Amino acid sequence: MEDILSKYQPVIGLEVHAQLLTNSKVFCADRNEYGGVPNTHVSAISLGHPGTLPMLNKKVIEFAVKLGLACQSEITREMNFARKNYFYADLPKGYQITQDKTPICVGGKIDIKTDDGGKTIGITRIHIEEDAGKSIHDQDPYDTLVDLNRAGVPLLEIVSEPDIRSSQEAYDYLTEVRKLVRYLEICDGNMEEGSMRCDANISVMLKGAEKFGDRVEVKNMNSIRNVQRAIEHEIKRQVELIEAGGTVDQDTRTFDAVTGSTASMRSKEAAHDYRYFPEPDLQPIFVSQEYIDEVENNLPPLPNDLIKKYTSELQLNEYDARVLTDSKPIALYFEALIAHTNNYKAAANMVMGDVKSYLNQHAVGIESFPVAAKQLAELIALTDEGKISKSVASQKVFPAMIEAPDQSPLSIAESNNWIQNSDEDSIGDLVKQVMAENPEEVQRYKEGSKNLIGFFMGQVMKLSRGSADPKAANQLVRKMLEEENV
């Protein structure tokens, strides 16, 4: 089967629906909150009662412009809303208010990391629309239940160009989109809760062909991994169908996460099936350059910008940079940390090692981490100055700082006698004492057992109760043993 699959080139485009983190819905004042009692976050407007009028939530425009700027899209200056007509039980009005001819963002791109280096996935458009309600099929054995709390929740639909060529690229693209909306704080990206959803348009064609094959759209995927699985299944299904002499029907399919397969829901709608026409109850929206500039000036640091900063300015490797920017709260903590230290590699290691280990063990976010970035920088300075070893810093001082976050690492180290002794005279006295107490080992060292250096180091560190500077002690042990050899 692998040989057959290798003859074909998948062509994939993704449509991502991101629910926005506004306090209220897009066209009314209903609360926008996940998890409420069914049909409690509703009003006459979101229920589509006759005579009600929508009013646009200005915050939605701000969030859309933020995302457009982050994707390097062109922001539409004058836009209109449209009605998209279709009839589902969970769509109260019988139509959805969306943007058809004038999406708020046009063009743009998302850069992804691939095994070959990197790839740019084009963005066709980003537009504003309202969400539908939710049909629930598994709570009643006889009836489908409808919860309209979600009806009218603001969405941004991010439509990619058909630039994706594998399930892995789709996975990487979705990961970048989720990271971006989280950095911008416009969507929490929780696919399991439905606040970020993805539809995949998938087709296959023979390698070298110029014309795309007939595509299908797969819906109802609740995780990035399931999007990847659905694409893999659909590529194989379409290739097998074509190889058997069949044709691919342009339909809308659903994905079953249990079986890992897709099934047809209905024939694919074309644009004319929705009977788009201008929304008569909403006036045109005008976005000024001054407003765009204001939004741009308030953009937070973005992941790709931080990666470039960490690899070029801080000289970190790309792996470290990507780990540090995977989560915005972690990246912001690291930003605060490097404001107080120039040892960027040590800072990165501390965050990726000790700090993340603590977060994982206690199942908390960096927001709950008790040690301030400035204090962690002071701990790094203690190791840089040779006052404590890296092992003491990690295994002793760091845990003590967790228990007593108000104390400085220096005071903790001093009160516990963890400050390294770098004085050559005092360390030399310890080395002499160890040599005097172990004449047989000294003789064996003279006779060529150079591996005994570890024994002498251990005895020196034991006598000093760990306070001797290991580097200085090692140098003195070697020097004094060699002098004894002469």
Side-chain angles (χ1 to χ4, degrees):
M1 186 62 197
E2 288 298 323
D3 291 339
I4 297 174
L5 287 172
S6 65
K7 293 165 46 181
Y8 289 84
Q9 175 64 70
V11 178
I12 302 156
L14 299 181
E15 300 170 7
V16 178
H17 296 78
Q19 283 187 352
L20 301 183
L21 292 172
T22 55
N23 293 325
S24 56
K25 294 183 180 179
V26 59
F27 297 118
C28 65
D30 298 356
R31 190 167 39 170
N32 176 18
E33 184 179 278
Y34 175 80
V37 175
N39 298 308
T40 56
H41 300 166
V42 294
S43 66
I45 297 177
S46 57
L47 293 175
H49 287 192
T52 56
L53 293 173
M55 180 175 290
L56 178 63
N57 183 340
K58 185 179 178 181
K59 202 71 175 176
V60 174
I61 296 291
E62 178 189 332
F63 285 2
V65 172
K66 274 187 175 183
L67 183 58
L69 291 171
C71 294
Q72 301 180 32
S73 305
E74 180 182 346
I75 309 301
T76 302
R77 301 299 184 84
E78 179 181 348
M79 70 198 77
N80 298 278
F81 286 92
R83 289 187 181 182
K84 180 181 181 181
N85 296 273
Y86 57 97
F87 300 95
Y88 291 160
D90 52 20
L91 190 69
K93 298 191 292 283
Y95 61 85
Q96 181 184 33
I97 300 178
T98 183
Q99 292 181 316
D100 179 27
K101 305 296 185 185
T102 56
I104 188 166
C105 307
V106 179
K109 64 186 182 72
I110 296 282
D111 293 323
I112 64 172
K113 176 69 176 174
T114 66
D115 293 337
D116 299 328
K119 181 174 180 177
T120 295
I121 307 299
I123 301 294
T124 305
R125 55 186 279 154
I126 301 170
H127 62 263
I128 300 167
E129 63 185 19
E130 61 179 338
D131 210 344
K134 184 177 182 181
S135 295
I136 302 168
H137 308 287
D138 57 359
Q139 292 190 12
D140 187 289
Y142 305 107
D143 300 305
T144 291
L145 306 180
V146 175
D147 178 9
L148 296 176
N149 280 349
R150 202 173 70 182
V153 165
L155 295 176
L156 288 181
E157 180 171 349
I158 307 149
V159 182
S160 84
E161 291 285 320
D163 293 340
I164 299 168
R165 293 292 178 264
S166 70
S167 63
Q168 183 60 50
E169 286 185 8
Y171 184 98
D172 295 337
Y173 170 84
L174 282 176
T175 300
E176 288 300 319
V177 170
R178 183 173 63 181
K179 185 192 298 186
L180 188 58
V181 296
R182 285 175 171 174
Y183 263 77
L184 294 169
E185 296 181 352
I186 63 175
C187 173
D188 61 28
N190 293 331
M191 294 188 73
E192 294 78 6
E193 295 179 359
S195 54
M196 193 175 105
R197 307 193 294 276
C198 177
D199 301 336
N201 293 290
I202 309 156
S203 66
V204 297
M205 63 181 182
L206 287 170
K207 287 183 177 177
E210 296 183 0
K211 183 181 178 182
F212 291 170
D214 291 326
R215 64 185 172 88
V216 303
E217 182 178 28
V218 182
K219 291 179 173 285
N220 300 339
M221 293 171 285
N222 64 355
S223 74
I224 295 179
R225 174 59 183 141
N226 279 343
V227 174
Q228 186 179 29
R229 292 174 63 208
I231 290 171
E232 288 168 357
H233 168 81
E234 194 58 29
I235 291 171
K236 184 179 179 183
R237 184 190 72 85
Q238 292 185 28
V239 168
E240 288 178 342
L241 188 61
I242 294 169
E243 286 289 311
T247 57
V248 175
D249 293 328
Q250 187 171 322
D251 62 353
T252 299
R253 304 178 72 84
T254 184
F255 176 69
D256 186 330
V258 176
T259 63
S261 61
T262 65
S264 181
M265 296 166 63
R266 60 184 180 272
S267 61
K268 179 75 178 97
E269 299 92 340
H272 66 264
D273 294 323
Y274 293 119
R275 294 184 292 112
Y276 285 101
F277 66 87
E279 168 57 66
D281 293 331
L282 286 167
Q283 293 182 334
I285 304 297
F286 298 90
V287 180
S288 68
Q289 185 60 49
E290 290 76 18
Y291 180 79
I292 295 171
D293 292 341
E294 180 184 347
V295 172
E296 186 169 21
N297 290 335
N298 290 301
L299 283 178
L302 297 177
N304 282 341
D305 295 335
L306 290 177
I307 288 172
K308 290 177 183 176
K309 172 184 175 181
Y310 296 165
T311 54
S312 59
E313 294 180 28
L314 308 191
Q315 296 297 302
L316 298 177
N317 61 51
E318 187 165 338
Y319 174 81
D320 289 356
R322 290 192 176 277
V323 171
L324 291 167
T325 57
D326 189 52
S327 158
K328 181 181 180 181
I330 292 285
L332 292 181
Y333 186 88
F334 182 70
E335 284 285 291
L337 179 57
I338 60 176
H340 300 287
T341 179
N342 293 325
N343 192 338
Y344 306 125
K345 182 59 179 176
N349 290 342
M350 186 71 75
V351 171
M352 295 188 298
D354 296 305
V355 174
K356 278 202 164 187
S357 177
Y358 172 86
L359 301 181
N360 292 336
Q361 288 174 8
H362 294 80
V364 296
I366 191 69
E367 301 87 349
S368 302
F369 184 60
V371 180
K374 185 177 180 181
Q375 286 180 288
L376 203 62
E378 291 174 7
L379 178 59
I380 294 170
L382 288 183
T383 61
D384 289 346
E385 294 164 5
K387 292 183 177 179
I388 59 174
S389 66
K390 290 181 180 178
S391 61
V392 168
S394 177
Q395 298 169 19
K396 295 182 178 181
V397 182
F398 181 81
M401 291 172 68
I402 297 291
E403 297 299 323
D406 293 334
Q407 292 188 35
S408 72
L410 179 60
S411 65
I412 290 173
E414 288 177 336
S415 63
N416 288 279
N417 295 318
W418 292 333
I419 297 294
Q420 287 186 157
N421 178 12
S422 300
D423 180 66
E424 288 195 7
D425 290 338
S426 60
I427 296 175
D429 291 339
L430 295 176
V431 176
K432 289 176 183 177
Q433 181 179 340
V434 169
M435 292 171 63
E437 293 174 353
N438 299 276
E440 293 182 5
E441 282 70 18
V442 172
Q443 184 60 36
R444 287 170 56 200
Y445 182 86
K446 290 180 181 180
E447 294 171 353
S449 297
K450 303 299 184 183
N451 59 341
L452 282 170
I453 198 78
F455 165 78
F456 290 108
M457 274 296 298
Q459 294 302 306
V460 171
M461 296 306 294
K462 183 178 179 181
L463 271 180
S464 72
R465 296 181 179 179
S467 65
D469 181 346
K471 186 176 180 180
N474 188 281
Q475 290 174 348
L476 281 171
V477 166
R478 292 179 182 277
K479 178 182 178 183
M480 296 176 74
L481 284 171
E482 291 302 325
E483 288 175 349
E484 183 73 19
N485 253 339
V486 175

